[in-house]
Amino acid sequence: MKIIDVSKDNFKEEVLDSKIPVLVDFNADWCGPCKMIRPILDEIASEHDEYRIVSVNIDDEDELAEEYGVFSIPCLVVFRGGSEYTRSIGLRPKEEIEGMLGGD
Amino acid sequence: MYDIIIVGAGPAGLTSSIYARRAMKKTLVLEAVSYGGQIINTLSIENYPANPGISGFDFATKLYNQAKEMGSEVKFEKVTEIKDNGDYKEVITTKGIYETKTIILATGLENRKLGVTREDELIGKGVSYCATCDGAFYKGKNVAVVGGGNTALEDALYLTDIAKIVYLIHRRDEFRGEEALVNNLKNRDNIKFIYNSNVTKLIGDDKLEGIEVTNNDGSKEDIEVSGLFIAIGRIPENENFKNIIALDESGYIVASEDCHTNVSGIFVSGDNRAKDVRQLVTAVSDGAIAACEAIKFINKKK
């Protein structure tokens, strides 16, 4: 599945109400490490249908960043059943991100 | 068997791999996290010859692509140990064991931690090591910077444009950093200097809400801040090699400009080498030298 951009208008529908786990990638255009993590996320998204990955630009969506306590990017937050399951900050290797999504 | 295994895919390591490949050596680069090293957090590089203003991300990505196009193999695995078996060496990672004729250690530096309880837990929830990366999240809030060198002063200056109040906490009564920066800071309305003090406690459950600051005379004070920027230097990532590699008292690998370590066939390049000037340009310079020395070593053995 392709990574879609999410805003505060559709965050509930795309993330909180999702039947499958969702990884939210909080990022910004000026953030180097965010640009480096994106190809890894694209790869994971194309390989897996059992979860979804969405992107939130923190400059456009500062309310979402504030609401979910994002103070450093790249910040990846996994939601399951409408609530936060786990998160990571900074660059992470692919396996670790898959682990965040797949772990029980 | 590889000819050269390079540990670390920052500017030094990737430059080594380019030189190694130009000499047609079988080359593997092992990287724990992602290519680029510290430079990826620099918004604009102003002091690298002939390319002023390039972003750290663009620089790192161009260098990485160049290394790949030259035929360098890159694997994302953390090196946990190296062994010297005389004729050949072993590099042990979280995923396997690789044999090689030579090794170049280009692991660079990591942020020095304060060493207070729950520091790791609160990273990204108020605790940060990079003001230019995370400063934007603290618009109109109170923040503190810890440190006394140029990085701390620059961070504090940067944050005075964003935050409400910036506390600059330093364990001594004067700064190590440039006087011009200090004077610049003193002209800001929203800076508060706290000398002779250390941050001794982090307050807040899910996110940072304040810090306890202890003066060298023993008195304590709690300060309300949402962000704490730690700028007390960086330390070399040489811990995993100290079983065979000689380090100086600060943990840097002892080697002169020829980049030879105390073990024959193992070289060092970049910021984790003991030296005075740690810049992008000296990192890539080390990268070239270490690779040429490794190539010489291999060719002599034939």
Side-chain angles (χ1 to χ4, degrees):
Chain A
M1 267 187 284
K2 266 194 78 173
I3 296 177
I4 57 161
D5 293 330
V6 166
S7 69
K8 68 175 191 305
D9 299 328
N10 61 354
F11 193 83
K12 185 172 184 298
E13 182 190 335
E14 294 292 342
V15 179
L16 301 179
D17 293 345
S18 170
K19 298 263 185 293
I20 56 174
V22 185
L23 183 148
V24 183
D25 166 30
F26 288 93
N27 61 79
D29 297 338
W30 44 265
C31 161
C34 298
K35 291 185 191 166
M36 300 174 80
I37 218 167
R38 180 62 190 247
I40 302 173
L41 296 177
D42 283 328
E43 213 174 288
I44 296 173
S46 71
E47 288 166 2
H48 297 273
D49 278 336
E50 66 273 30
Y51 32 74
R52 180 184 319 158
I53 302 180
V54 301
S55 164
V56 171
N57 181 307
I58 58 107
D59 287 329
D60 300 337
E61 300 297 332
D62 48 348
E63 282 173 45
L64 279 178
E66 174 98 38
E67 186 174 347
Y68 290 98
V70 176
F71 289 106
S72 181
I73 49 173
C75 178
L76 306 178
V77 184
V78 175
F79 287 85
R80 284 184 172 194
S83 59
E84 178 173 339
Y85 172 68
T86 184
R87 72 167 62 193
S88 75
I89 287 144
L91 273 173
R92 287 288 180 273
K94 188 181 172 193
E95 310 77 89
E96 208 173 301
I97 299 170
E98 285 176 321
M100 287 170 63
L101 279 157
D104 284 317
Chain B
M1 170 92 66
Y2 286 94
D3 290 312
I4 305 178
I5 288 185
I6 298 159
V7 185
L14 290 174
T15 301
S16 285
S17 82
I18 291 169
Y19 277 77
R21 287 301 303 153
R22 280 178 66 84
M24 306 298 284
K25 300 301 177 199
K26 194 177 176 206
T27 307
L28 171 66
V29 181
L30 294 167
E31 165 59 47
V33 184
S34 188
Y35 66 84
Q38 301 165 70
I39 199 69
I40 60 165
N41 288 319
T42 301
L43 290 183
S44 170
I45 303 169
E46 303 298 346
N47 56 5
Y48 191 81
N51 213 341
I54 188 172
S55 77
F57 167 74
D58 286 341
F59 181 90
T61 302
K62 276 185 169 180
L63 178 55
Y64 177 70
N65 290 338
Q66 186 182 0
K68 293 283 277 185
E69 275 159 28
M70 299 284 300
S72 304
E73 197 182 331
V74 183
K75 291 188 178 187
F76 292 95
E77 302 177 19
K78 185 171 172 56
V79 172
T80 52
E81 197 186 344
I82 55 171
K83 281 185 186 162
D84 179 24
N85 296 334
D87 272 356
Y88 74 100
K89 303 167 200 318
E90 279 179 331
V91 177
I92 298 149
T93 75
T94 41
K95 287 190 192 149
I97 298 173
Y98 302 94
E99 293 181 354
T100 180
K101 293 175 189 163
T102 64
I103 299 173
I104 297 174
L105 300 171
T107 44
L109 306 181
E110 60 183 344
N111 295 312
R112 183 188 294 279
K113 305 231 162 135
L114 260 187
V116 289
T117 314
R118 299 180 57 233
E119 184 172 351
D120 282 341
E121 203 182 305
L122 290 169
I123 291 174
K125 297 170 181 172
V127 172
S128 172
Y129 301 86
C130 179
T132 52
C133 313
D134 300 334
F137 294 99
Y138 297 91
K139 260 178 231 148
K141 296 183 171 149
N142 294 346
V143 300
V145 176
V146 190
N150 277 344
T151 306
L153 296 170
E154 280 164 7
D155 283 0
L157 203 54
Y158 177 80
L159 289 165
T160 53
D161 285 333
I162 299 166
K164 193 167 148 202
I165 302 173
V166 179
Y167 299 92
L168 179 53
I169 300 161
H170 183 36
R171 63 194 165 123
R172 301 187 203 287
D173 57 4
E174 59 183 311
F175 294 105
R176 263 182 299 117
E178 289 167 23
E179 217 173 305
L181 278 170
V182 178
N183 290 337
N184 225 333
L185 259 182
K186 283 181 176 160
N187 287 329
R188 300 290 168 120
D189 298 328
N190 58 341
I191 182 93
K192 289 192 177 165
F193 296 95
I194 301 178
Y195 297 101
N196 298 312
S197 299
N198 289 293
V199 174
T200 42
K201 205 183 277 178
L202 306 177
I203 302 160
D205 294 328
D206 300 332
K207 59 178 185 182
L208 188 74
E209 286 161 6
I211 49 175
E212 179 194 77
V213 175
T214 304
N215 190 286
N216 292 347
D217 67 15
S219 61
K220 291 179 196 298
E221 183 192 1
D222 288 351
I223 300 174
E224 261 180 56
V225 292
S226 311
L228 176 66
F229 292 85
I230 299 167
I232 51 171
R234 297 195 166 106
I235 50 171
E237 297 191 64
N238 294 328
E239 226 10 55
N240 292 340
F241 318 129
K242 69 177 181 193
N243 56 326
I244 56 170
I245 301 294
L247 310 180
D248 71 9
E249 66 276 14
S250 305
Y252 293 98
I253 294 175
V254 179
S256 69
E257 273 173 37
D258 66 9
C259 296
H260 286 247
T261 69
N262 60 309
V263 179
S264 162
I266 302 183
F267 306 88
V268 55
S269 75
D271 281 359
N272 56 325
R273 178 167 79 83
K275 56 177 171 178
D276 287 334
V277 182
R278 293 196 174 81
Q279 288 287 306
L280 184 54
V281 70
T282 62
V284 299
S285 162
D286 272 8
I289 295 165
C292 292
E293 293 298 309
I295 292 159
K296 246 197 274 175
F297 178 89
I298 296 162
N299 291 345
K300 235 190 268 172
K301 288 244 158 173
K302 269 184 189 164

